[in-house]
Amino acid sequence: MHPGEEPSPETFGTPESLIILEFLADLDTTHRLLPASPALRAKARLFMNVVETKLTTTFIPAILGRTNLDPLLAALTELEGMLPAEGEFVLGEQWSIADAAVVPLFLRMRAMFKAQPPSMQPGEAARGFVALESPRLKRYLEVNLARESVTKTWDEVRDGCVVPGTKLTMVLSRRTWSRTS
């Protein structure tokens, strides 16, 4: 679309990231964003369900200091247990929309824990950072950080709100917090 143009009334639109991922996988089956195997498709959807219902619902409250980190750590542990012992991605050797659903969130979490938001209780950010450094999650993040699509789009300073040696300001859910490093 060009500036000033409006989408067609028949255009599908949704603000839900996971629905958009499935929609894109359905639109372009040549890239195999979801595998042909019904069992692997179900595994990807189960993983995405845990991301949506347990990880995303606990991340922002934990960062804002509204809850302790235990529910978020439990979600991380559950997701880590769903990652294969062998293979690089949620479904093993095949990157899928399940990876697209979680990688940006994991990267933002890691950056936020590094930043140590003052809204979090003392030591909570360090606990979160250590959880993301567990062997399986650390390997998973390293493999995904090496992907060309991630290297082209992820910048920890820009996207993760980590500004070494400077005042850090971020808006989360219409609430601003600042931290002087």
Side-chain angles (χ1 to χ4, degrees):
M1 288 185 29
H2 299 286
E5 288 184 336
E6 293 291 324
S8 163
E10 292 85 34
T11 301
F12 170 75
T14 179
E16 297 297 325
S17 300
L18 299 182
I19 302 299
I20 292 168
L21 286 171
E22 291 217 34
F23 179 71
L24 292 173
D26 289 341
L27 280 180
D28 182 3
T29 58
T30 60
H31 286 96
R32 294 270 188 221
L33 297 174
L34 271 174
S37 161
L40 286 177
R41 291 171 79 88
K43 182 177 180 181
R45 288 182 174 119
L46 180 60
F47 188 90
M48 290 169 50
N49 183 57
V50 173
V51 169
E52 182 176 25
T53 62
K54 297 181 181 179
L55 190 65
T56 59
T57 59
T58 59
F59 175 51
I60 298 300
I63 293 296
L64 293 177
R66 294 181 184 155
T67 181
N68 70 32
L69 213 57
D70 293 338
L72 178 62
L73 296 179
L76 285 173
T77 299
E78 184 173 351
L79 288 168
E80 181 179 22
M82 296 174 79
L83 292 173
E86 300 296 324
E88 299 180 335
F89 306 112
V90 171
L91 300 179
E93 296 303 324
Q94 180 183 349
W95 190 87
S96 72
I97 63 173
D99 300 292
V102 78
V103 168
L105 188 55
F106 278 175
L107 292 175
R108 282 187 182 85
M109 290 172 73
R110 190 175 72 166
M112 293 295 292
F113 292 145
K114 272 188 193 178
Q116 299 181 5
S119 56
M120 293 183 78
Q121 295 298 315
E124 291 289 273
R127 286 179 61 212
F129 191 80
V130 167
L132 287 171
E133 290 291 302
S134 68
R136 195 175 284 178
L137 287 177
K138 184 176 182 177
R139 179 177 57 88
Y140 179 77
L141 281 170
E142 287 172 353
V143 165
N144 278 282
L145 276 167
R147 287 181 51 82
E148 182 181 2
S149 61
V150 177
T151 60
K152 284 183 174 182
T153 59
W154 172 253
D155 179 295
E156 189 168 278
V157 171
R158 181 193 66 225
D159 302 326
C161 302
V162 176
V163 186
T166 64
K167 185 175 181 181
L168 172 68
T169 304
M170 176 174 188
V171 176
L172 283 174
S173 299
R174 299 186 186 141
R175 180 172 165 184
T176 303
W177 57 266
S178 298
R179 179 175 189 270
T180 302
S181 300

